[in-house]
């Protein structure tokens, strides 16, 4: 009997496969379906502060239509404070989901202001979220702003949220940091409980016919697992933070690889959007089959076996770009294997 139990953010899970944040986890019914399909935990669709603000403004505009048409109109309008705000709906979803499923509900949050990070985090905790996933994205566009300032802003967010809530906090990071191990250590000292590697940021395209910016949404593929796989392997055993792997999970093979690298849990969203919630069963069953075939009696027995801390030659994680050899093995047409030597 293979033991799949794992611990992530201090939460005891039946197995390491978690349903990541997506439209599938945006409603109570969707969260229930993910639990029924076998998710060990569920990350809710992100609450975006900027969208809440836009919805608030739209609601106010709708309620005051015609207010300037006659001096007496305003006396007939209901007070705005008596209306249910957009945030209330998200909080209610968390509350009902936490009450109706038996697996941990992790609330995802993306805010733009300190008040948003702290205030919404407190509301989500009060609603019954078992943990928070801080979905942090900020593009530093000011050429006068150094990397240290950008990282300090991220750390300040975590510190402010940590001071306001008691439940575990995972920080979902992008890959664009110059000293990720140092940042991980700083976040641990600040009070974070885990890292999710990595966030897939919005990547727009250009419409060549209309010369406009075109929004795109591409589901991840197994090749997207390479970068988080490397960094999880480098961090495993060297940080007290729980490590959540995100990106490129298409089958049980990717789940096994992430665990071998040192992940405590594996989050998947694209595979579930592509195949449906019940695909979770195939991922878990496939993991059991792989463990059994390799004589592993538990997830703990394989976790981190391919981490940098366990490898005899960890430099292979960072020196895999031996261009001449890779070019010789490359099946691409028109590639001259000796081009890089000249």
């Amino acid at each position: 009997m293979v033991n799949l139990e794992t611990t992530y953010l201090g939460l005891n899970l039946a197995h390491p496969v978690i349903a990541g944040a997506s439209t599938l986890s945006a409603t109570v019914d969707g969260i229930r379906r993910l639990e029924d399909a076998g998710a060990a935990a569920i990350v809710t669709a992100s609450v975006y502060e900027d969208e809440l603000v836009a919805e608030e403004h739209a609601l106010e505009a709708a309620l005051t239509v015609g207010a300037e048409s006659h001096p007496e109109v305003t006396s007939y309008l209901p007070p705005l404070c008596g209306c249910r705000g957009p945030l209330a709906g998200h909080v209610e979803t968390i509350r009902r989901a936490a009450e109706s499923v038996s697996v941990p509900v992790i609330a995802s949050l993306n805010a733009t202001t300190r008040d948003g990070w702290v205030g919404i985090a407190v509301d989500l905790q009060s609603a019954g979220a078992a943990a928070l996933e801080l979905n942090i994205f900020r593009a530093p566009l000011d050429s006068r702003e150094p990397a240290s300032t950008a990282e300090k802003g991220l750390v300040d967010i975590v510190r402010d949220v940590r001071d306001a809530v008691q439940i575990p906090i995972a920080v979902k990071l992008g890959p664009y940091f110059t000293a990720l191990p140092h940042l991980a250590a700083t976040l641990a000292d600040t009070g974070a409980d885990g890292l999710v590697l990595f966030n897939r940021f919005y990547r727009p395209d250009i419409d060549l016919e209309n010369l406009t910016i075109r929004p795109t949404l591409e589901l991840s593929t197994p090749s997207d697992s390479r970068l988080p796989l490397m960094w999880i392997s480098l961090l495993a055993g060297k940080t007290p933070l729980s490590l959540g792997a995100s990106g490129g999970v298409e089958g049980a093979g990717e789940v096994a690889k992430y665990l071998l690298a040192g992940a405590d849990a594996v989050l998947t969203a694209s595979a579930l959007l592509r195949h449906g919630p019940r695909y979770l069963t195939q991922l878990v069953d496939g993991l059991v089959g792989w463990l059994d075939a390799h004589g592993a009696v538990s997830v703990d027995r394989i976790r981190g076996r391919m981490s940098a801390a366990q490898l005899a030659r960890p430099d292979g994680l960072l020196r895999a770009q031996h261009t001449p050899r890779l070019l010789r093995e490359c099946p691409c047409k028109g590639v001259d294997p000796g081009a890089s030597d000249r």
Side-chain angles (χ1 to χ4, degrees):
M1 185 70 176
V2 177
N3 183 359
L4 297 180
E5 292 180 359
T6 190
T7 301
Y8 175 62
L9 304 176
L11 305 171
N12 295 322
L13 305 182
H15 59 77
V17 184
I18 294 176
S22 75
T23 54
L24 295 173
S25 58
T27 65
V28 176
D29 286 343
I31 292 170
R32 287 173 179 156
R33 282 194 290 271
L34 290 167
E35 182 196 29
D36 292 341
I42 299 163
V43 184
T44 64
S46 287
V47 177
Y48 290 93
E49 183 187 8
D50 54 349
E51 291 184 359
L52 295 178
V53 171
E55 291 176 21
E56 289 277 10
H57 290 166
L59 178 61
E60 292 180 9
L63 291 174
T64 56
V65 169
E68 304 300 325
S69 62
H70 192 279
E72 297 181 0
V73 168
T74 54
S75 64
Y76 295 99
L77 293 174
L80 294 180
C81 60
C83 300
R84 176 176 172 177
L87 177 59
H90 293 278
V91 172
E92 179 65 9
T93 296
I94 300 293
R95 185 190 67 77
R96 291 177 56 202
E99 291 176 351
S100 60
V101 300
S102 59
V103 299
V105 175
I106 301 171
S108 176
L109 169 61
N110 177 288
T112 53
T113 65
R114 181 186 182 280
D115 289 344
W117 284 112
V118 173
I120 299 173
V122 169
D123 287 341
L124 296 175
Q125 174 182 257
S126 299
L132 293 174
E133 182 177 281
L134 304 185
N135 179 10
I136 299 177
F137 169 62
R138 177 176 173 272
L141 303 177
D142 189 343
S143 62
R144 296 166 297 181
E145 180 182 2
S148 58
T149 300
E151 292 188 8
K152 180 180 182 300
L154 187 154
V155 172
D156 288 344
I157 289 171
V158 175
R159 179 178 292 109
D160 290 340
V161 175
R162 177 76 285 163
D163 290 342
V165 302
Q166 292 74 51
I167 57 178
I169 297 172
V171 183
K172 191 171 187 179
L173 291 177
Y176 308 117
F177 292 96
T178 55
L180 187 55
H182 181 269
L183 178 59
T186 303
L187 291 173
D189 292 340
T190 304
D193 299 279
L195 291 178
V196 179
L197 305 177
F198 285 112
N199 206 338
R200 295 180 70 234
F201 293 142
Y202 173 67
R203 292 174 288 184
D205 198 358
I206 294 177
D207 187 322
L208 292 176
E209 295 301 320
N210 300 310
L211 297 183
T212 57
I213 299 298
R214 181 175 61 194
T216 62
L217 176 61
E218 297 177 355
L219 300 180
S220 70
T221 64
S223 64
D224 292 311
S225 68
R226 303 293 188 268
L227 189 61
L229 196 68
M230 181 188 78
W231 276 110
I232 288 171
S233 181
L234 292 170
L235 291 173
K238 299 180 179 179
T239 175
L241 298 171
S242 283
L243 296 176
S246 177
V249 177
E250 177 58 25
E254 285 74 46
V255 177
K257 289 178 183 179
Y258 274 135
L259 295 172
L260 286 165
D264 296 292
V266 179
L267 293 81
T268 178
S270 291
L272 304 184
L273 290 168
R274 188 179 287 119
H275 303 292
R278 294 196 177 279
Y279 192 65
L280 279 160
T281 301
Q282 293 188 42
L283 293 176
V284 177
D285 289 347
L287 175 62
V288 171
W290 187 90
L291 291 169
D292 189 56
H294 290 79
V297 297
S298 70
V299 165
D300 288 339
R301 291 291 293 272
I302 70 162
R303 181 180 288 109
R305 284 183 58 179
M306 298 298 292
S307 67
Q310 299 297 322
L311 292 175
R313 295 287 304 275
D315 59 319
L317 289 166
L318 297 173
R319 299 184 63 195
Q321 296 83 5
H322 298 294
T323 307
R325 177 179 61 80
L326 291 177
L327 286 175
R328 283 193 295 270
E329 297 173 357
C330 179
C332 306
K333 295 180 179 180
V335 175
D336 179 0
S340 61
D341 295 330
R342 294 195 291 269

